[in-house]
C-alpha cells in the first residue's frame, strides 16, 4: 500500500505539468484541462497496478487522458470551432519581451488545425519520437512526420509574415 | 541528400539524429544554418507551449487520490463488517438448528439406530425371562395389552424413543433377536410403513394412539410378526 502511494506521488510530481499542458492544448481551457488531469490521475491511481513499466508511464497517462477527453465529448457534444479565439489566450499579464512572443506564438499554435497541433505538442512537450506519437494517435509514422512538418512550416511562415505587427506590441 | 528532403526532415523533427542528416549538416553550411533556425523556432515553440501550470496542482492531485482511497477503504470496512455479521448470524442459526431440531425425521431411521445401538446387549441365546403378566403391566401405560405371548421375550422395558417414552421389547427370533417398539403417536417422526437397510428390515403398524414397530434381520418374516401382534393386542378406550 505504501509503495503504491509512493509510486503515485512520484508519478504526479514528475508528470503532472506535462500532462496539464497537453490537456490544455487539447481543450484550450484551463479549467477543463485541470479537470481532465484530475480525472486522468484518479483513474491512473485506481489502475496503478496495471502499470508495469515506469518508462511507459507518460504514454500510459496520455492514453488515459485522450480517452477522458473523448468521453467529455460523448457526454456533452459541442463543436471545437465555436470556441472564441480569445479563450485560448493566456490572460496573465504580459510584461517582458519573452512573454509577448510567447503570447503571440500561443495564438498561432492555438489556431493550428487540431491534427497538426497534437503531434507537435506530443513531440515538443512530451518528447515522444515519431513512432511513439504514431502509436498514441493510431496513425502511421509517415502521416505523423508530414503533420509535424506542416505544423512547423505554418508557424515559421506566420512568424516571418508578421514581424511588424509583433513590433507594435512593444510600443 | 537534396535540400527539400533535408528541410522536410528538419521541419518534422529538428532533433533528428539520423546519420545522413548529421552528415548533410556537416557538409553544407547553409543547411546547418537552416537547421539552427528551426532549432531556435522549436525553442520558441517549446516556450509557448509551456503554459503556466496551476501552482497547487500536484497537491490537489494527491489530495483527491487520498480522499478516493479513504472512501474505498471505508467501503471495504463496511463490507467486512457486513460479512462478519452475516457469518455470525449464520453460525447462530446453525447452532440453534443443530441443538433443537430432531436428528431423525421418520420412525424407521430411529428404530434402526436404536436397535443397532443396543444390539450388543442382546443375543438369541439369552433366557426368556419376561412373563406375559409383567409385559402387560408395562403395556398398561399405553392403554394396551397382549392376550397371548408373541414369542419368547428376553427383555421388556421403557426406553426413550427419540425423546418419547416408549416400550422396547426384545424377542428371540429365527437367527437373531427381534425388536419390537411400542411408541406413542408422534408429531415429529413421520410414520413409515416398512423400511430396511443392509442388515435389517422394519415394519410398522399404526393404531389409534400408538404405533408398533418390528425390526428384525433379513431372515425374519416380519409379516408373520405383524399378524401375530394384530391378533393379540387390544387397546382399552
Amino acid at each position: 500500500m505504501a509503495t503504491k502511494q509512493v509510486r503515485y506521488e512520484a508519478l504526479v510530481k514528475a508528470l503532472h505539468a506535462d500532462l496539464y499542458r497537453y490537456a490544455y492544448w487539447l481543450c484550450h481551457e484551463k479549467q477543463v484541462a485541470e479537470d481532465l488531469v484530475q480525472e486522468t490521475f484518479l483513474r491512473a491511481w485506481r489502475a496503478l497496478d496495471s502499470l508495469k513499466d515506469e518508462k511507459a508511464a507518460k504514454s500510459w497517462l496520455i492514453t488515459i487522458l485522450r480517452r477522458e477527453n473523448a468521453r467529455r465529448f460523448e457526454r456533452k457534444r459541442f463543436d471545437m470551432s465555436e470556441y472564441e479565439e480569445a479563450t485560448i489566450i493566456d490572460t496573465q499579464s504580459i510584461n517582458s519581451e519573452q512573454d509577448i512572443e510567447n503570447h503571440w506564438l500561443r495564438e498561432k499554435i492555438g489556431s493550428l488545425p487540431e491534427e497538426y497541433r497534437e503531434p507537435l505538442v506530443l513531440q515538443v512537450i512530451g518528447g515522444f519520437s515519431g513512432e511513439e506519437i504514431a502509436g498514441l494517435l493510431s496513425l502511421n509514422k509517415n502521416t505523423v512526420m508530414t503533420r509535424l512538418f506542416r505544423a512547423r512550416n505554418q508557424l515559421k511562415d506566420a512568424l516571418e509574415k508578421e514581424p511588424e505587427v509583433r513590433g507594435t506590441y512593444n510600443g | 541528400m537534396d535540400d527539400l528532403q533535408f528541410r522536410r526532415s528538419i521541419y518534422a523533427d529538428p532533433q533528428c539524429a539520423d546519420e545522413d542528416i548529421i552528415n548533410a549538416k556537416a557538409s553544407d553550411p547553409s543547411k546547418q544554418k537552416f537547421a539552427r533556425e528551426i532549432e531556435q523556432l522549436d525553442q520558441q515553440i517549446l516556450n509557448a507551449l509551456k503554459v503556466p501550470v496551476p501552482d497547487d496542482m500536484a497537491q490537489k492531485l494527491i489530495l483527491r487520490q487520498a480522499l478516493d482511497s479513504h472512501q474505498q477503504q471505508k467501503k471495504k470496512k463496511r463490507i467486512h463488517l457486513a460479512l462478519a455479521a452475516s457469518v455470525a448470524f449464520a453460525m447462530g442459526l446453525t447452532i440453534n438448528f443443530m441443538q433443537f431440531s430432531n436428528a431423525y425425521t421418520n420412525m424407521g431411521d430411529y428404530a434402526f439406530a436404536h436397535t443397532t445401538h443396543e444390539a450388543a446387549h442382546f443375543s438369541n441365546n439369552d433366557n426368556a425371562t419376561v412373563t406375559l403378566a409383567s409385559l402387560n403391566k408395562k403395556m398398561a401405560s399405553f392403554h394396551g395389552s397382549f392376550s397371548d405371548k408373541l414369542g419368547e421375550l428376553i427383555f421388556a422395558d421403557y426406553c426413550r424413543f427419540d425423546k418419547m417414552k416408549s416400550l422396547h421389547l426384545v424377542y428371540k427370533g429365527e437367527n437373531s433377536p427381534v425388536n419390537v417398539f411400542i411408541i406413542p403417536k408422534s408429531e415429529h417422526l413421520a410414520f413409515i410403513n416398512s423400511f430396511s437397510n443392509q442388515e435389517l428390515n422394519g415394519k410398522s403398524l399404526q393404531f389409534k394412539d400408538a404405533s408398533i414397530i418390528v425390526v428384525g434381520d433379513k431372515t425374519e418374516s416380519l409379516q408373520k410378526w405383524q399378524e401375530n401382534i394384530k391378533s393379540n393386542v387390544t387397546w382399552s378406550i
Side-chain angles (χ1 to χ4, degrees):
Chain A
M1 205 60 186
T3 55
K4 189 181 172 190
Q5 183 73 34
V6 169
R7 278 177 84 200
Y8 176 78
E9 288 184 17
L11 217 58
V12 167
K13 281 178 185 136
L15 297 175
H16 79 277
D18 282 356
L19 221 62
Y20 171 80
R21 286 172 178 144
Y22 173 73
Y24 175 83
W25 289 110
L26 214 57
C27 67
H28 306 282
E29 258 200 286
K30 287 179 182 175
Q31 195 49 55
V32 178
E34 203 174 324
D35 290 349
L36 275 175
V37 174
Q38 286 275 7
E39 207 52 47
T40 301
F41 271 102
L42 200 59
R43 280 179 192 276
W45 160 255
R46 288 175 186 160
L48 198 59
D49 292 332
S50 70
L51 176 69
K52 295 283 178 267
D53 183 6
E54 301 295 334
K55 273 179 261 165
K58 197 191 255 182
S59 57
W60 181 63
L61 287 170
I62 283 186
T63 308
I64 299 176
L65 195 144
R66 294 188 88 231
R67 208 157 44 211
E68 277 310 308
N69 189 47
R71 205 168 278 151
R72 189 167 64 94
F73 283 98
E74 280 165 24
R75 278 201 297 268
K76 192 173 152 193
R77 222 166 188 17
F78 51 85
D79 199 5
M80 282 309 276
S81 64
E82 281 174 22
Y83 263 61
E84 287 296 319
E85 289 294 291
T87 60
I88 66 170
I89 297 167
D90 178 21
T91 49
Q92 276 182 336
S93 65
I94 301 159
N95 38 34
S96 74
E97 185 97 10
Q98 182 64 50
D99 283 342
I100 293 162
E101 190 178 85
N102 283 349
H103 179 76
W104 184 85
L105 198 53
R106 264 172 210 156
E107 273 187 54
K108 294 295 156 218
I109 295 171
S111 58
L112 279 179
E114 178 71 40
E115 62 199 47
Y116 294 173
R117 184 172 54 240
E118 200 177 359
L120 186 69
V121 173
L122 286 172
Q123 190 185 45
V124 176
I125 292 261
F128 290 109
S129 72
E131 277 99 353
E132 286 168 330
I133 296 168
L136 279 169
L137 304 184
S138 322
L139 298 169
N140 73 41
K141 195 199 163 192
N142 284 341
T143 312
V144 170
M145 295 325 266
T146 306
R147 287 181 185 182
L148 284 167
F149 157 73
R150 288 193 183 142
R152 280 201 182 78
N153 204 6
Q154 285 189 12
L155 290 177
K156 187 151 178 19
D157 282 355
L159 273 168
E160 279 163 4
K161 242 183 256 169
E162 299 182 50
E164 309 84 15
V165 182
R166 285 163 69 205
T168 61
Y169 279 101
N170 281 332
Chain B
M1 176 179 276
D2 68 62
D3 203 45
L4 186 65
Q5 203 190 337
F6 178 77
R7 279 168 179 260
R8 279 192 73 99
S9 306
I10 291 291
Y11 266 130
D13 184 7
Q15 312 292 326
C16 181
D18 286 356
E19 217 172 299
D20 34 353
I21 296 285
I22 290 170
N23 290 341
K25 273 197 265 188
S27 61
D28 186 343
S30 71
K31 278 182 185 157
Q32 194 168 11
K33 182 164 171 282
F34 173 77
R36 210 168 290 152
E37 263 176 49
I38 299 301
E39 265 172 49
Q40 219 167 15
L41 170 71
D42 229 38
Q43 190 56 50
Q44 286 175 302
I45 292 173
L46 177 63
N47 287 337
L49 286 181
K50 277 190 176 169
V51 291
V53 178
D55 291 334
D56 50 354
M57 182 124 210
Q59 276 74 33
K60 271 195 206 161
L61 291 170
I62 290 166
L63 173 70
R64 177 104 187 259
Q65 167 267 321
L67 291 176
D68 182 66
S69 65
H70 180 66
Q71 212 71 27
Q72 281 183 331
Q73 265 171 356
K74 250 168 58 183
K75 250 185 248 167
K76 260 184 216 160
K77 257 188 221 160
R78 244 180 285 152
I79 289 170
H80 287 162
L81 185 69
L83 269 177
S86 331
V87 168
F89 184 68
M91 266 169 56
L93 273 185
T94 314
I95 288 169
N96 207 21
F97 181 76
M98 283 183 2
Q99 268 191 332
F100 298 109
S101 70
N102 300 300
Y104 302 95
T105 53
N106 68 57
M107 51 175 67
D109 290 346
Y110 188 86
F112 278 157
H114 196 120
T115 304
T116 313
H117 184 69
E118 294 184 347
H121 300 298
F122 305 112
S123 122
N124 228 12
N125 303 323
D126 286 348
N127 289 324
T129 53
V130 186
T131 61
L132 182 64
S134 71
L135 168 62
N136 278 335
K137 219 164 154 187
K138 291 192 164 86
M139 272 299 279
S141 62
F142 295 91
H143 309 292
S145 68
F146 289 103
S147 52
D148 201 359
K149 276 182 156 189
L150 294 175
E152 294 184 62
L153 189 53
I154 304 169
F155 168 90
D157 213 337
Y158 297 118
C159 264
R160 293 266 138 208
F161 192 93
D162 202 19
K163 294 178 219 137
M164 294 179 294
K165 187 190 174 189
S166 68
L167 189 56
H168 185 185
L169 313 176
V170 182
Y171 288 94
K172 273 188 188 179
E174 287 289 323
N175 297 306
S176 64
V178 172
N179 290 262
V180 176
F181 300 95
I182 294 107
I183 59 170
K185 257 226 175 110
S186 120
E187 280 178 5
H188 65 266
L189 286 179
F191 179 84
I192 179 165
N193 253 329
S194 72
F195 43 94
S196 65
N197 64 13
Q198 281 94 333
E199 294 118 39
L200 300 169
N201 285 330
K203 272 182 183 300
S204 326
L205 285 168
Q206 189 158 33
F207 299 94
K208 198 168 142 247
D209 292 318
S211 306
I212 298 183
I213 304 170
V214 190
V215 174
D217 66 24
K218 299 280 185 194
T219 56
E220 206 68 48
S221 165
L222 297 182
Q223 191 68 37
K224 213 167 86 190
W225 278 90
Q226 277 199 311
E227 276 161 21
N228 220 348
I229 290 168
K230 257 193 242 172
S231 56
N232 269 313
V233 77
T234 49
W235 306 96
S236 55
I237 309 167

